[in-house]
Amino acid sequence: MVISKIEIGTLNVPFTGALKTPVGILSAANNVVVKIVSSDGEYGWGEASPMAQITGDSQQSNYEMAKLFAKHLLGKNPLALDTRIAEINYLTVGDPSIRCAFDMALYDLAAKVAKMPLYQYLGGEPRELRTNLTVGIQDTVEETLALAKSIFDSGFNAIKLKVGRSGLQDIPHVKAVRELAGPDISIKVDSNQGWDYPTAVKNIVALCEFNIDYYEQPIAAWDYDGLKRLRNATNQPICADESLFNHKDAFKLLKAEAVDILNIKLGKSGGIHSALKINSIAESAGVKCMIGCFGESRLGLSAAAHLATARPNIHYLDLDSAFHFKSDPVSGGLQYDKSIGGLIHLNADYGHGASVDEKAIEQVWSLSL
Ligand SMILES: [Mg+2]
């Protein structure tokens, strides 16, 4: 069996609203999708959801890099995952989003050939998964509370609040949400690097009375030493997001004792292959992982949910991007429960189970044997 055809295209879906964070505003998914077809007619789907402010790549750069990857992969064995992914990684040190799309499509294809759902191909079995839902930075506490109320009314048991405003302006927002939530709802805060070190110390010391699960990327991504000092100064759990791309970063962060939790995103790690290594390194250090997302459709989220299913050390889920989609171009794969907020269902279809409505794909380019 060899890779006989690779199709790429863009997938653009507006969001129902804008998600504002200190690193940028997400108001649409501007993604790249990849379909890898084998000589026996099987195929795998993958998705890139670049966010240049974090991943350093874009829809345009992903699209061009995808053509290069396709030329190198055509005619090769799709099941030799380790070798194929090493070849992709040899072609660029950057572009993690499109490396993720190819990795995801190869894993999907391999699991389909093995006639297994992806979680089973990765050695796992079904377990309950629940995602949080995120509230972006709002101008007023009333706006934050209105969004939080709708999330709690939908039955979610976990919420993530984007913070990172200047000074101590975040505190009334978090305080009000804790008062509304009561004691049992899980609250996480994510600063997206928005605080400097002294502001982070002041905020975290003030916020810890509100029983926050963890503080995600409170300061600049590059500042591993600052993360470690912050962790020691506040005695609160610190989570690395933008500081962590691949398994090499995981090793450096944990060796430095800089953080308590690692936020895996397939779009940062370059896909499942490195994400598995991140989780193994974390598990070896007694550290739990979360899995997050950028602006993926249910395609990219399905792959992430299968990985989380297969690795219970991936404890926290932030797989909510598809909640914001105005239309859903994906069939199969992950489904959100309509009655229990945040509950995720995966079926036993082979692979990750998701495929894209080809009518929704633009700028289609393909290469065949
Ligand atoms: Mg984050």
Side-chain angles (χ1 to χ4, degrees):
M1 182 196 302
V2 295
I3 297 170
S4 60
K5 185 179 184 186
I6 296 177
E7 293 177 5
I8 62 174
T10 56
L11 183 69
N12 299 293
V13 184
F15 285 177
T16 51
L19 185 72
K20 187 177 170 192
T21 80
V23 280
I25 298 174
L26 267 175
S27 57
N30 298 116
N31 298 348
V32 175
V33 290
V34 176
K35 186 180 184 184
I36 297 179
V37 184
S38 71
S39 50
D40 65 350
E42 199 52 89
Y43 57 87
W45 282 99
E47 183 177 31
S49 184
M51 185 174 180
Q53 300 95 322
I54 294 174
T55 57
D57 54 1
S58 67
Q59 188 183 45
Q60 291 79 5
S61 73
N62 280 179
Y63 189 79
E64 292 306 315
M65 193 59 74
K67 295 178 187 172
L68 179 69
F69 291 176
K71 287 169 193 162
H72 278 77
L73 292 181
L74 201 70
K76 293 183 176 168
N77 175 7
L79 302 182
L81 288 174
D82 206 68
T83 312
R84 294 292 85 79
I85 289 161
E87 287 167 354
I88 290 168
N89 291 341
Y90 181 76
L91 292 172
T92 173
V93 71
D95 299 274
S97 312
I98 196 65
R99 286 192 281 117
C100 161
F102 276 76
D103 163 292
M104 190 184 296
L106 287 169
Y107 271 95
D108 186 31
L109 175 56
K112 283 175 175 162
V113 170
K115 300 192 184 311
M116 292 179 185
L118 181 53
Y119 62 74
Q120 188 178 10
Y121 182 77
L122 297 174
E125 59 183 356
R127 67 185 185 97
E128 185 180 298
L129 298 180
R130 281 186 85 170
T131 180
N132 62 227
L133 196 52
T134 300
V135 173
I137 291 190
Q138 309 300 314
D139 291 337
T140 67
V141 172
E142 289 70 31
E143 288 169 292
T144 298
L145 272 180
L147 289 170
K149 183 172 185 314
S150 72
I151 290 170
F152 300 148
D153 288 347
S154 304
F156 281 81
N157 65 359
I159 190 169
K160 180 157 125 176
L161 302 175
K162 292 290 188 184
V163 294
R165 300 169 180 87
S166 63
L168 298 175
Q169 291 179 50
D170 291 306
I171 292 167
H173 292 260
V174 180
K175 177 173 188 283
V177 171
R178 172 52 80 200
E179 285 168 358
L180 177 71
D184 298 330
I185 301 263
S186 161
I187 301 178
K188 311 130 198 320
V189 301
D190 184 359
S191 318
N192 284 109
Q193 315 177 61
W195 293 326
D196 58 20
Y197 179 83
T199 309
V201 172
K202 284 182 206 150
N203 272 281
I204 294 173
V205 166
L207 289 173
C208 64
E209 69 171 295
F210 306 122
N211 189 24
I212 305 302
D213 279 11
Y214 53 78
Y215 298 83
E216 189 174 326
Q217 203 63 55
I219 58 173
W222 54 266
D223 192 2
Y224 285 21
D225 184 59
L227 288 168
K228 179 180 183 175
R229 286 189 290 128
L230 195 55
R231 185 178 175 228
N232 291 335
T234 63
N235 202 28
Q236 291 294 303
I238 306 295
C239 172
D241 183 2
E242 291 95 316
S243 291
L244 169 81
F245 274 63
N246 54 40
H247 53 283
K248 295 165 191 166
D249 300 326
F251 180 75
K252 284 190 287 184
L253 279 162
L254 297 183
K255 190 175 180 204
E257 301 182 339
V259 293
D260 302 276
I261 296 162
L262 298 180
N263 183 356
I264 297 170
K265 289 178 182 165
L266 297 179
K268 294 183 297 168
S269 66
I272 293 167
H273 193 262
S274 171
L276 288 166
K277 294 184 191 177
I278 294 173
N279 183 62
S280 293
I281 291 165
E283 206 164 16
S284 306
V287 162
K288 290 209 181 319
C289 293
M290 66 172 283
I291 189 156
C293 59
F294 290 104
E296 290 88 345
S297 70
R298 290 191 303 102
L299 166 58
L301 297 181
S302 295
H306 276 268
L307 171 64
T309 299
R311 292 295 183 276
N313 190 59
I314 301 176
H315 184 71
Y316 302 101
L317 270 75
D318 182 19
L319 299 178
D320 59 358
S321 51
F323 275 101
H324 306 296
F325 276 46
K326 258 190 186 161
S327 60
D328 183 359
V330 177
S331 57
L334 165 152
Q335 297 287 346
Y336 296 122
D337 193 295
K338 296 273 191 292
S339 55
I340 301 174
L343 192 63
I344 284 172
H345 296 294
L346 293 175
N347 59 34
D349 288 350
Y350 299 155
H352 55 54
S355 54
V356 185
D357 174 1
E358 304 210 19
K359 291 196 290 295
I361 302 174
E362 301 167 76
Q363 289 182 274
V364 175
W365 178 97
S366 73
L367 192 66
S368 306
L369 279 180

